[in-house]
Amino acid sequence: MQKPFPRAPAVRCLYRTACAAAAAALVVPLLVTGPSSDAQGAATTRLQRAFADAAAEYRVPQSVLLGVSYLQSRWDTHDGAPSVIGGYGPMHLTDTRTALAEAPHHGVTRDTAPPLAVAGPQQPAPRLPGQLTTLERVAGLIGVPAARLRTDADANVRGGAALLAATQRQLGEPLSADPADWWSAVARFSGADDSATAATFANDVFAVIRAGAHRTTDTGQRVTLAASPGVRPDSRQVRAIRPRGTTNPDVECPATLACDWIPAPHTEFGDDQYGNHDLADRPKDQRVEYIVIHDTEATRTSMIDTVQDPSEASWHYTVRSSDGHITQHVKTKDVAWHSGSQFVNARSIGVEHEGFLTQPDAWYSEQMYRSSARLVAYLAKKYGVPLDRQHIFGHDNVPAPTASSIPDMHDDPGPFWDWRHYFDLLGAPLRATAGADSDLVTVLPDFRTNQPLYTGCNESGKPCAPHGSSAVRVHAEPHEDAPLIQDPGRRPDGEDSTADVNDLGSRISTGQTYAVAERRGDWTAIWYLGQKAWFKNPKRNPTAVGASGLMVTPKDGLRSVPVYGRAHPEEEAYPSEVPVQPDSPLPYELLEGQRYATQGRTSGSYFQPSATDAALNHVVKGEDLYYEIQFGHRIGFVRAADVDVVHADKR
């Protein structure tokens, strides 16, 4: 029986915890845009000069200032919009009271925070923790109005430098030119609630300093932190913090992350109905092949309530937006109800990220990306899950198990999740693996400059604010005015796909690999949902790059091949006590002459859990083999007996 995953209301929220991040010490420099004129160069290096000037004024090593800002915001400004805890600008200076006052309908997610209601005529303003009011403190330190610190990136950087210097003095440390002497100040600047998170933040800042980084920000500013491989923190300061990682034996988490355990219940909630997950013994009884990335579409507090309800859905981990703090709910050996597909659930681990897909700047924090990447890299190594987009994918890439369930499948984490950056942090950067004219292509647009029109973020039919995106739209013909590709499963009446932010009918995403159907000038066609789908792919600024690998195509004599959302065993494989699961092809076909990328074969299986005892589970494994393919925006499966495997030409 397919387990429920009710979708929470898409309310907008503007709050996250004050802590800065627990983060993975994985840094991959990002590409800078091409050369420009002298005037343009001066305009696009203004923020770099602001870092240099502020560092000199407050006697903070420039590498420390740049490194802290990179971990806080990747030097972005988010157009002056606050994060969910009211953090503003490149230094993420916090003014939570103002953020809530300007958006009083937004919710609160920090579990331990005091009430943050805006003061009324008869109500004094509540006292907030210092980590929620750093912008107010900075305004006093440098004599700049708070409003300017919220909107002026240069002033914000200057304020961050002043706050770092004040923190260093408060610790009794000198304003040294040596970055090594600033480790404790960096740890405290994080605002973390626990020593492990503070230490990880500081260590990651120093990892950035050693490796260097450079990128073009969301406002087109080119910022560079030169690599200093010899920089190491003062060992005396590191020993003084004595970070403690996870000590709960129930938690499966990297030792450097501060994780906790809030268990999902496995209890009876009806007549012989047990929830909200299935007891199992993975990988002994079945392999873990996938890790599914979700966003909660609700606040963390709300989702903790949900996961503790035995009649509701479940997932293995929740990652907090503000600081990347991780909470585990279900043992990874057990099967959580998270994807909308029992087949995928049985083979996967589900990781939820606090946030809303229409508000990436508020919720998809650098701290969350890094902490999540560290967790997923740990899980992938533990279970042998390949670090690619066919095995680590979004909830929006999970195939519907049946035709009737297609409308119920989810669309998170959405087009604004930065898959390219995420795989950089996983240590498996997405890149070309073949020449530009190869038979396969991997979607790889520049996230910052790839800004398709989306609607419906705040109001149905209304344009969303321009934003970098991992997604690319595909058309029926090779020009931008051509109709979008239609998805007959989502819209069986033949209605057109739309630009709505939740409409996946004509969308491909970063890291996904497709077979090339045709090339025409700056346009490339791929095979997609049984159709030829076009996207703009100019040679000088490609949207997709050459890929090596395998493709499948119908065997000679077959005009079409059915596509499935799950790979079930053949009828003969089922023991008498397990009901045979019927074939349920999706309303698509892989047609003669078409090709689709595959990562290889998988065996058919069916998981029938016992309500009370994992030892009584049935895992039916068949002889029939399937190929997992990238069929549309979601993956799909075809029987190996129906297709031939073709090696892509790597030209």
Side-chain angles (χ1 to χ4, degrees):
M1 182 179 75
Q2 183 178 330
K3 306 303 192 295
F5 193 92
R7 192 166 186 73
V11 295
R12 298 184 67 207
C13 295
L14 187 68
Y15 187 78
R16 68 179 176 183
T17 38
C19 308
L26 300 168
V27 181
V28 179
L30 302 179
L31 297 177
V32 183
T33 55
S36 59
S37 67
D38 291 343
Q40 289 174 324
T44 58
T45 57
R46 176 185 51 76
L47 188 59
Q48 181 85 58
R49 295 195 302 275
F51 279 109
D53 292 344
E57 180 179 2
Y58 291 99
R59 298 171 59 194
V60 178
Q62 187 174 340
S63 61
V64 170
L65 185 60
L66 282 163
V68 168
S69 180
Y70 188 89
L71 261 291
Q72 294 282 39
S73 68
R74 294 179 75 213
W75 307 319
D76 285 340
T77 65
H78 303 310
D79 198 27
S83 69
V84 292
I85 55 161
Y88 292 87
M91 298 301 299
H92 197 252
L93 303 177
T94 54
D95 187 358
T96 304
R97 196 186 313 280
T98 295
L100 291 174
E102 292 177 350
H105 60 287
H106 289 349
V108 175
T109 66
R110 187 169 189 244
D111 305 60
T112 57
L116 294 178
V118 180
Q122 308 299 323
Q123 178 186 16
R127 184 177 180 83
L128 301 181
Q131 63 265 45
L132 298 181
T133 59
T134 59
L135 190 142
E136 179 181 330
R137 182 184 176 195
V138 163
L141 284 174
I142 68 175
V144 170
R148 183 178 169 193
L149 288 168
R150 291 193 293 269
T151 58
D152 184 328
D154 293 6
N156 189 277
V157 168
R158 184 168 171 251
L163 184 58
L164 271 168
T167 303
Q168 181 80 338
R169 286 192 293 267
Q170 188 178 28
L171 290 167
E173 299 289 345
L175 298 181
S176 167
D178 185 354
D181 296 331
W182 290 77
W183 190 89
S184 294
V186 170
R188 182 169 293 188
F189 191 96
S190 73
D193 287 332
D194 62 88
S195 60
T197 301
T200 299
F201 179 85
N203 286 335
D204 287 343
V205 167
F206 275 76
V208 172
I209 291 171
R210 286 191 294 273
H214 60 284
R215 71 184 294 262
T216 300
T217 72
D218 58 357
T219 57
Q221 292 293 303
R222 294 184 298 163
V223 182
T224 299
L225 168 57
S228 301
V231 171
R232 294 290 185 276
D234 179 357
S235 59
R236 171 184 56 84
Q237 295 184 12
V238 174
R239 288 195 301 270
I241 286 188
R242 297 184 184 279
R244 292 184 300 171
T246 299
T247 58
N248 190 322
D250 290 320
V251 173
E252 302 161 275
C253 209
T256 53
L257 290 180
C259 306
D260 63 2
W261 172 252
I262 300 179
H266 186 268
T267 58
E268 188 173 11
F269 65 91
D271 293 336
D272 201 31
Q273 289 183 293
Y274 281 76
N276 58 4
H277 60 279
D278 298 317
L279 302 178
D281 192 19
R282 302 185 305 179
K284 291 182 180 178
D285 54 5
Q286 53 195 335
R287 291 175 53 201
V288 173
E289 298 182 51
Y290 308 118
I291 299 174
V292 183
I293 304 300
H294 303 253
D295 81 32
T296 58
E297 292 298 305
T299 64
R300 179 179 181 274
T301 302
S302 172
M303 296 307 287
I304 295 299
D305 290 342
T306 297
V307 82
Q308 292 180 291
D309 184 338
S311 67
E312 286 282 4
S314 63
W315 51 96
H316 293 90
Y317 298 90
T318 298
V319 186
R320 192 161 60 192
S321 169
S322 61
D323 59 354
H325 181 82
I326 292 169
T327 302
Q328 186 172 359
H329 310 291
V330 177
K331 286 285 193 178
T332 58
K333 71 180 180 63
D334 295 329
V335 174
W337 304 348
H338 63 96
S339 77
S341 166
Q342 188 186 44
F343 175 81
V344 172
N345 288 347
R347 298 179 176 218
S348 69
I349 293 170
V351 182
E352 287 276 2
H353 298 78
E354 182 187 23
F356 297 83
L357 67 85
T358 60
Q359 302 167 62
D361 290 340
W363 295 94
Y364 293 171
S365 68
E366 179 66 6
Q367 295 90 333
M368 185 170 72
Y369 275 123
R370 287 174 171 262
S371 185
S372 173
R374 175 168 283 170
L375 171 68
V376 169
Y378 160 85
L379 293 171
K381 182 178 181 180
K382 178 177 181 177
Y383 287 105
V385 178
L387 293 175
D388 60 46
R389 285 283 274 118
Q390 285 67 48
H391 296 88
I392 297 174
F393 49 70
H395 197 182
D396 53 350
N397 306 128
V398 174
T402 63
S404 62
S405 62
I406 290 175
D408 301 324
M409 301 309 289
H410 287 214
D411 46 29
D412 58 287
F416 305 126
W417 181 266
D418 192 344
W419 284 108
R420 187 171 190 167
H421 180 50
Y422 192 62
F423 270 79
D424 283 347
L425 295 173
L426 285 172
L430 302 169
R431 60 182 185 272
T433 54
D437 295 325
S438 61
D439 292 335
L440 289 171
V441 290
T442 295
V443 183
L444 200 61
D446 176 76
F447 182 84
R448 182 185 67 86
T449 59
N450 179 51
Q451 298 187 1
L453 170 67
Y454 294 102
T455 62
C457 289
N458 299 306
E459 185 178 347
S460 179
K462 300 295 184 182
C464 303
H467 196 281
S469 175
S470 288
V472 174
R473 288 210 179 83
V474 286
H475 298 259
E477 297 292 339
H479 56 86
E480 293 176 354
D481 295 331
L484 297 173
I485 284 293
Q486 293 182 340
D487 182 345
R490 289 175 63 89
R491 300 177 183 271
D493 296 332
E495 300 174 43
D496 291 337
S497 296
T498 70
D500 188 89
V501 70
N502 300 119
D503 190 339
L504 306 179
S506 60
R507 193 181 294 173
I508 56 180
S509 183
T510 293
Q512 294 178 331
T513 299
Y514 295 89
V516 174
E518 187 180 347
R519 289 184 171 91
R520 197 180 302 175
D522 283 345
W523 288 78
T524 298
I526 56 173
W527 293 117
Y528 183 92
L529 297 177
Q531 308 165 70
K532 189 180 288 188
W534 293 88
F535 64 95
K536 196 169 186 179
N537 189 28
K539 292 186 183 298
R540 297 191 65 179
N541 186 26
T543 306
V545 296
S548 58
L550 303 175
M551 303 175 287
V552 297
T553 190
K555 285 186 176 294
D556 289 343
L558 294 180
R559 300 192 62 180
S560 67
V561 167
V563 178
Y564 301 91
R566 56 195 182 187
H568 274 169
E570 65 278 7
E571 183 176 345
E572 296 78 15
Y574 290 85
S576 59
E577 63 270 25
V578 179
V580 174
Q581 301 301 303
D583 282 344
S584 184
L586 299 177
Y588 311 106
E589 290 182 311
L590 194 166
L591 300 176
E592 182 181 16
Q594 296 182 1
R595 296 179 175 186
Y596 290 86
T598 182
Q599 290 295 311
R601 297 186 302 184
T602 186
S603 58
S605 67
Y606 172 67
F607 172 61
Q608 183 185 64
S610 163
T612 58
D613 187 350
L616 301 178
N617 291 347
H618 289 285
V619 180
V620 183
K621 299 179 180 179
E623 298 294 329
D624 280 2
L625 298 175
Y626 291 78
Y627 283 97
E628 177 192 322
I629 61 172
Q630 188 66 60
F631 190 62
H633 186 73
R634 304 183 191 274
I635 63 171
F637 298 91
V638 292
R639 292 185 184 277
D642 291 338
V643 297
D644 288 324
V645 178
V646 181
H647 287 265
D649 190 326
K650 299 182 180 181
R651 289 169 292 181

